[in-house]
Amino acid sequence: MLLTSRRLRAALLAAASATLVAAALPPPAPLGIGDALFPQLGNPGYDVLTYDIALTYGGSNTNPLDAVTRIGARAKERLDRINLDFTLGTVRTVEVNGHPATFRSAGEDLVVEPDAAVAAGSRMNITVTHTSDPSGPPTAGGWVRTSDGLAMANQADAAHRVFPSNDHPADKAYFTFRVTAPNDYTVVANGVRTAKVRRGSATTWAYRTRHPMATELAQVSIGRSAVVKRLGPGGLPVRDVVPAADRDQLESWLRKTPAHLEWMEQQVGRYPFETYGVLIADATTGFELETQTLSLFERSLFTTTAFPEWYVDSVMVHELAHQWFGNSVSPRSWSDLWLNEGHATWYEALYAEEKAQRPMATRMRAAYERSDQWRTDGGPPAAPKRPVPGQKISLFRPVVYDGSALVLYALRQTIGTDAFTQLERDWVREYRDAAATTADFAALASRIAGRDLSAFFDAWLYAKRTPPMPGHPDWRSTAPTPPVAG
């Protein structure tokens, strides 16, 4: 057929070119931002600014929740496709900037193709209508099924089992949660409550964070709960969430939180968020978790007689310390995890020393004796080995707890107590609401100490063997010496 219209030929040529461009796109594939421990976690090309997550809970903690996740982001480059981390739920529709988009799954990514490429530097709004499925294995993370509802445990790589996201702590954002549940349920989430609207047999609760948050720290509690309110230092709102039947039994523990807050503020400065509280869930997880502004605890920690009071106290302080170290200042990569857990363990141990006469030096000497073996098993503190396949939580090994607190002890021995205290305070002030790296911490320590500490950090954070402890030449490792290669 002879094409006689110049306009028609131009239109067909443009259409043909667009088809060729589309055909040239590679097959959808999971992407990542290059994290050494979770290579396909996070997604390149954009920065998330806000999440608005709507969930509808029908009263069963095994049935999928209906959900709508709205993501506000800024494109850092031209995006013909947008990868989101999401798995387990069913995606029904996706829109980009108000227009329907095509989508498909690739690994644990949701790959979205908008009807027009998103220009570099522009804002984009992504709306995903989906389900959020709590029926996955408990060890995989995401939703935690409690005796009367649900809670979240998204660390380290599990928020995308609950909602579509850029699931890496390097990309923090502001969150809004809107959760609808039957009237006899109570909903609490990160941040402060902004609305509670009852319509017929269901109530919608809305919460919003006033500070950016990593996806792994998101928390939504749905249950037959009591919310216990009191004030902390400086009038800080404190709200604890507990099973309603346990309200009176747990009060002796709940009332400790204001004193814990006051103690931590004496160490490192003002609490960095808008509210705090403990969420005590009737569930078996095997861990406690520092979800932002609302730390998650197992009920059994407080109701069993297996643990002495000083130990439970120090565990509560551990999760509280994370609000500064790990939440306000988030790790830039998961290899920086030692900054989270090492600091939380440090303040846990310091609290036990001051309040329960459990000497820090005794605990650190015991850690030193085991440190070489911990490094062999899990890698050095700032270069940990990857988690065991299928067991992402195995990343949380002894080397990132007491093995990393040991690094801080050695640092204090090296630069002195006054410089160490200044370092801790300056660290959480300078990097508040941001993500930071091991290199950032080392640089700040060197600046405060007035000398280059690169050799110290290289040895203590990356060596296979633990260096000699400053001030304690008698401390020895009990790990066997590896054979010399012939």
Side-chain angles (χ1 to χ4, degrees):
M1 180 184 295
L2 180 64
L3 300 179
T4 57
S5 166
R6 181 179 299 173
R7 181 175 297 176
L8 177 60
R9 281 189 300 205
L12 291 176
L13 179 60
S17 298
T19 301
L20 289 172
V21 170
L25 290 175
L31 301 178
I33 61 171
D35 193 286
L37 300 179
F38 298 102
Q40 293 183 342
L41 193 63
N43 294 285
Y46 61 92
D47 173 34
V48 176
L49 306 174
T50 61
Y51 291 97
D52 188 317
I53 301 168
L55 300 162
T56 301
Y57 176 77
S60 166
N61 66 2
T62 58
N63 291 340
L65 289 72
D66 289 328
V68 179
T69 296
R70 296 176 174 87
I71 300 171
R74 179 178 292 108
K76 296 190 289 186
E77 59 189 57
R78 173 190 165 97
L79 294 173
D80 295 293
R81 282 184 179 149
I82 305 158
N83 276 49
L84 301 171
D85 298 303
F86 186 58
T87 189
L88 197 60
T90 299
V91 178
R92 292 170 174 152
T93 63
V94 179
E95 291 183 355
V96 177
N97 294 330
H99 299 282
T102 59
F103 58 90
R104 60 181 295 184
S105 295
E108 294 191 359
D109 276 16
L110 172 64
V111 183
V112 177
E113 192 166 329
D115 66 344
V118 179
S122 65
R123 289 287 298 268
M124 61 179 180
N125 296 300
I126 306 166
T127 300
V128 184
T129 304
H130 61 99
T131 63
S132 186
D133 195 341
S135 65
T139 55
W143 285 116
V144 173
R145 296 190 295 276
T146 67
S147 63
D148 63 344
L150 293 170
M152 285 186 195
N154 296 328
Q155 200 174 87
D157 178 20
H160 66 281
R161 297 176 63 82
V162 178
F163 56 92
S165 59
N166 198 23
D167 194 10
H168 193 281
D171 191 2
K172 301 168 72 166
Y174 292 88
F175 278 72
T176 298
F177 296 95
R178 308 173 198 275
V179 184
T180 301
N183 289 333
D184 54 343
Y185 284 82
T186 297
V187 176
V188 184
N190 310 94
V192 296
R193 196 177 83 191
T194 57
K196 179 185 175 184
V197 179
R198 180 169 178 166
R199 293 189 179 91
S201 61
T203 299
T204 299
W205 309 68
Y207 290 83
R208 182 171 298 154
T209 66
R210 293 179 181 169
H211 297 265
M213 181 171 72
T215 50
E216 48 119 357
L217 301 173
Q219 182 59 268
V220 171
S221 166
I222 307 170
R224 292 181 172 88
S225 307
V227 179
V228 184
K229 298 180 180 180
R230 65 191 85 226
L231 295 178
L236 176 76
V238 175
R239 47 93 174 89
D240 300 313
V241 184
V242 301
D246 297 325
R247 163 69 179 84
D248 293 337
Q249 179 186 4
L250 295 171
E251 171 58 23
S252 62
W253 294 108
L254 303 180
R255 63 176 177 239
K256 289 175 176 284
T257 296
H260 292 162
L261 281 158
E262 184 176 0
W263 184 84
M264 273 301 303
E265 288 193 346
Q266 290 169 357
Q267 311 308 311
V268 295
R270 291 298 299 271
Y271 177 74
F273 297 120
E274 60 271 25
T275 185
Y276 185 64
V278 301
L279 165 60
I280 300 178
D282 188 7
T284 300
T285 61
F287 55 81
E288 326 305 326
L289 185 61
E290 65 275 12
T291 43
Q292 189 162 308
T293 72
L294 189 63
S295 294
L296 174 68
F297 293 88
E298 295 175 291
R299 176 182 179 274
S300 61
L301 178 69
F302 303 98
T303 58
T304 183
T305 59
F307 306 117
E309 183 176 358
W310 71 265
Y311 173 79
V312 178
D313 254 338
S314 64
V315 171
M316 293 176 74
V317 169
H318 178 111
E319 303 309 331
L320 172 59
H322 271 306
Q323 302 299 318
W324 285 264
F325 300 95
N327 295 13
S328 180
V329 185
S330 298
R332 177 70 63 178
S333 75
W334 278 107
S335 295
D336 299 312
L337 177 63
W338 80 274
L339 285 165
N340 299 16
E341 298 299 346
H343 276 103
T345 303
W346 173 264
Y347 289 103
E348 168 196 333
L350 187 62
Y351 186 88
E353 178 178 65
E354 291 190 10
K355 303 296 184 180
Q357 294 73 55
R358 302 282 166 169
M360 170 80 79
T362 300
R363 179 168 177 172
M364 290 299 98
R365 182 168 187 166
Y368 190 91
E369 292 172 352
R370 296 167 174 80
S371 178
D372 281 351
Q373 188 62 56
W374 291 341
R375 289 174 182 238
T376 297
D377 295 341
K385 295 180 180 179
R386 286 188 181 181
V388 177
Q391 300 178 36
K392 295 173 181 178
I393 202 170
S394 68
L395 176 63
F396 294 84
R397 307 176 178 102
V399 73
V400 304
Y401 292 98
D402 282 53
S404 295
L406 191 66
V407 177
L408 299 176
Y409 186 86
L411 179 60
R412 190 178 70 170
Q413 292 288 105
T414 299
I415 67 176
T417 299
D418 290 346
F420 181 82
T421 300
Q422 182 183 346
L423 168 63
E424 297 292 274
R425 288 176 166 270
D426 287 359
W427 174 250
V428 297
R429 185 182 68 252
E430 291 191 19
Y431 290 97
R432 184 180 183 183
D433 290 339
T437 67
T438 295
D440 292 328
F441 186 77
L444 182 60
S446 295
R447 190 169 81 230
I448 290 171
R451 63 185 188 274
D452 186 2
L453 294 172
S454 298
F456 170 89
F457 284 109
D458 285 346
W460 277 94
L461 292 176
Y462 299 102
K464 293 180 179 180
R465 306 285 292 185
T466 311
M469 176 58 70
H472 295 284
D474 57 321
W475 287 13
R476 296 285 186 271
S477 169
T478 60
T481 302
V484 178

